[in-house]
Amino acid sequence: MNWDGGGLSAQDALVLPLGGSEMQIAGPCSEEGLQNISQARTLLEQRVVSEDDAALALQLLESAAASPDLCPAAYICMAEAYLSGAAPQHGVDHDRALDSLVAFACIARSSDQPAIAQAAQISAAMEDAVLAPRAAQLLRLAGSWPELRGVALRAHLVQLRHPGKSHGTPREEGCGPIDVLTALCSDLTEARELAVSLHQNLR
């Protein structure tokens, strides 16, 4: 479905496709960013997309993403372009898609938590070779976004199996692999306690 941004304001939430489903990105987005996203999606959703149109669309999205006024939605649009293979010169490119999702997570707001969860699911389905080079970034982000803990830890474990290809792990307090693993165990403990409590209340 073509999407031209008609009737939307810079404050509105945007509903965008990603990996075969839709996600909602809360506003605000700058007027210029919204216009760039509108034009880019119109170009990418043509029945036949030429390399020139795809290049222009990606340029518009990169411009929106680089704007001083943060526009997280632009990164989601770029990720979708690479996941779907909409740009013929790139085809399906999970490396570029994950780079876009990581960039999105770096500037996402608390209202984008559902989108982060969806991005984490998509990232978790990617191959180890795509995840491993971004282990350090994912571990850092997992400190802010619990939804990314599982995929971040998996990326780090892949690095451990292939030490020659390691890109290093973050040294910041609270975002190392042990911190992520501890947080995951804590999540599991809380979930178990909640399940027990619910079971007792339902008896």
Side-chain angles (χ1 to χ4, degrees):
M1 178 179 66
N2 285 342
W3 183 89
D4 60 8
L8 288 175
S9 75
Q11 302 300 318
D12 289 334
L14 302 180
V15 178
L16 302 169
L18 184 68
S21 58
E22 292 184 335
M23 67 163 54
Q24 181 169 296
I25 306 297
C29 177
S30 69
E31 293 287 354
E32 181 180 358
L34 183 62
Q35 184 63 31
N36 283 357
I37 290 172
S38 300
Q39 294 178 15
R41 290 200 58 193
T42 298
L43 289 169
L44 292 172
E45 292 179 358
Q46 298 177 95
R47 186 179 298 274
V48 177
V49 181
S50 68
E51 290 192 6
D52 289 341
D53 282 348
L56 175 57
L58 293 173
Q59 183 179 347
L60 288 166
L61 293 173
E62 288 167 0
S63 177
S67 170
D69 299 317
L70 297 182
C71 189
Y75 289 112
I76 294 301
C77 292
M78 283 192 281
E80 171 61 15
Y82 296 127
L83 286 171
S84 66
Q89 61 266 54
H90 297 296
V92 175
D93 191 327
H94 285 175
D95 285 290
R96 285 186 167 92
L98 185 56
D99 284 339
S100 297
L101 292 176
V102 166
F104 164 70
C106 286
I107 64 170
R109 298 158 288 209
S110 58
S111 56
D112 294 320
Q113 185 272 337
I116 289 289
Q118 190 170 336
Q121 291 180 344
I122 291 171
S123 302
M126 294 181 179
E127 296 181 355
D128 290 349
V130 176
L131 295 175
R134 298 157 182 86
Q137 292 171 290
L138 290 168
L139 284 168
R140 290 189 187 96
L141 288 168
S144 302
W145 298 107
E147 296 79 9
L148 294 173
R149 288 172 182 167
V151 69
L153 189 59
R154 177 183 154 207
H156 179 67
L157 291 174
V158 173
Q159 277 196 341
L160 292 179
R161 292 201 301 268
H162 303 89
K165 298 182 180 180
S166 175
H167 290 248
T169 55
R171 297 180 180 274
E172 293 91 336
E173 183 178 353
C175 66
I178 298 302
D179 301 300
V180 173
L181 182 58
T182 299
L184 279 170
C185 291
S186 177
D187 290 344
L188 289 173
T189 299
E190 291 177 4
R192 182 185 299 174
E193 291 173 351
L194 178 59
V196 170
S197 177
L198 289 172
H199 180 72
Q200 291 176 343
N201 290 334
L202 291 172
R203 292 180 62 180

